[in-house]
Amino acid sequence: MPRTIADVAQEKGALLMQRDVDWRYTVGEHSWSFSDAQGELRELPLPNVPQPNAATALAALRASGLKVSEEAIREGIASAILPGRFQTIQLQPRVILDVAHNPHAAGYLAGRLKSLPKTGRVLAVIGMLHDKDIAGTLACLESVVDSWYCAPLEGPRGATAEQLREHLRAGAVYGSVAQAWHAAMADAAPEDTVLVCGSFHTVAHVMEELDAGRAGGK
């Protein structure tokens, strides 16, 4: 933690709760545990949101003084979802949306993908902003992605599909996120996984395509 955070907390009179100082958590294969000055919670359900986020939220809740039962905490952890964060929206093929756009988030995403049963290929629709760490983000995902579908993002911050392709061993270039998305879905077998990632913008474009498809099917 930067020292400036502690300085500002002291200046504002804010309660500063630091991980591994005031609270801790450990993660097992099927559950996790949390501890702070109030005690320990064991065998918590693994969350559907990033583990550090769930632990930090629990630390804030317990420090807030709000009276929440352990049963409600366990239920909340098990049911909480964050749209666009490892969000599975379809099976056969499995379609996962994740807005990961930096190496840290991409590393977490890669770990989640590796934890899934291996049933087929992973086809990744990728679009990023050029001011992000493109090389580092893609490097974290290359070991879990079998085929890349590179798409440009519009606007002055959008990276071109060609810029993304430069950092990959192999990959196809498309003129838009929609084109890359439809190509990936056309190539996917029922046992495959189609991953949409790289930016909130990329995920939003695919959600628009899905909404349009549902509207057209009515």
Side-chain angles (χ1 to χ4, degrees), residues 51-69:
Q51 182 67 62
N53 294 17
T56 304
L58 181 54
L61 175 65
R62 285 164 67 89
S64 71
L66 294 172
K67 301 300 181 183
V68 181
S69 69

Side-chain angles (χ1 to χ4, degrees), residues 13-197:
L15 176 63
L16 179 62
M17 303 288 291
Q18 299 181 69
R19 176 184 170 183
D20 294 331
V21 176
D22 302 290
W23 57 275
R24 297 171 174 81
Y25 72 94
T26 57
V27 183
E29 185 176 356
H30 302 295
S31 64
W32 62 291
S33 299
F34 176 95
S35 63
D36 60 9
Q38 300 179 44
E40 185 176 16
L41 296 175
R42 298 182 179 180
E43 297 186 2
L44 295 168
L46 292 174
N48 294 311
V49 299
Q51 182 67 62
N53 294 17
T56 304
L58 181 54
L61 175 65
R62 285 164 67 89
S64 71
L66 294 172
K67 301 300 181 183
V68 181
S69 69
E70 183 175 331
E71 179 183 1
I73 288 173
R74 292 179 179 276
E75 181 180 344
I77 292 171
S79 60
I81 60 171
L82 184 60
R85 291 288 189 185
F86 209 75
Q87 180 183 5
T88 301
I89 61 171
Q90 177 182 310
L91 299 174
Q92 296 184 332
R94 181 193 289 125
V95 175
I96 297 174
L97 308 180
D98 198 294
V99 299
H101 55 269
N102 57 48
H104 180 79
Y108 174 82
L109 171 57
R112 291 292 301 270
L113 288 170
K114 289 177 181 177
S115 71
L116 296 176
K118 181 66 175 176
T119 59
R121 302 170 300 156
V122 175
L123 316 180
V125 177
I126 182 78
M128 295 188 68
L129 300 176
H130 69 73
D131 52 9
K132 301 300 182 181
D133 183 356
I134 294 175
T137 301
L138 297 182
C140 291
L141 293 169
E142 276 229 273
S143 65
V144 295
V145 173
D146 297 290
S147 297
W148 291 94
Y149 297 73
C150 302
L153 293 181
E154 69 278 4
R157 295 179 62 206
T160 66
E162 289 77 11
Q163 286 175 310
L164 302 180
R165 176 64 181 80
E166 290 175 1
H167 299 284
L168 299 169
R169 290 191 296 270
V173 171
Y174 294 89
S176 67
V177 172
Q179 290 178 11
W181 158 251
H182 289 297
M185 290 299 290
D187 292 343
E191 66 272 16
D192 291 339
T193 295
V194 177
L195 170 68
V196 180
C197 63

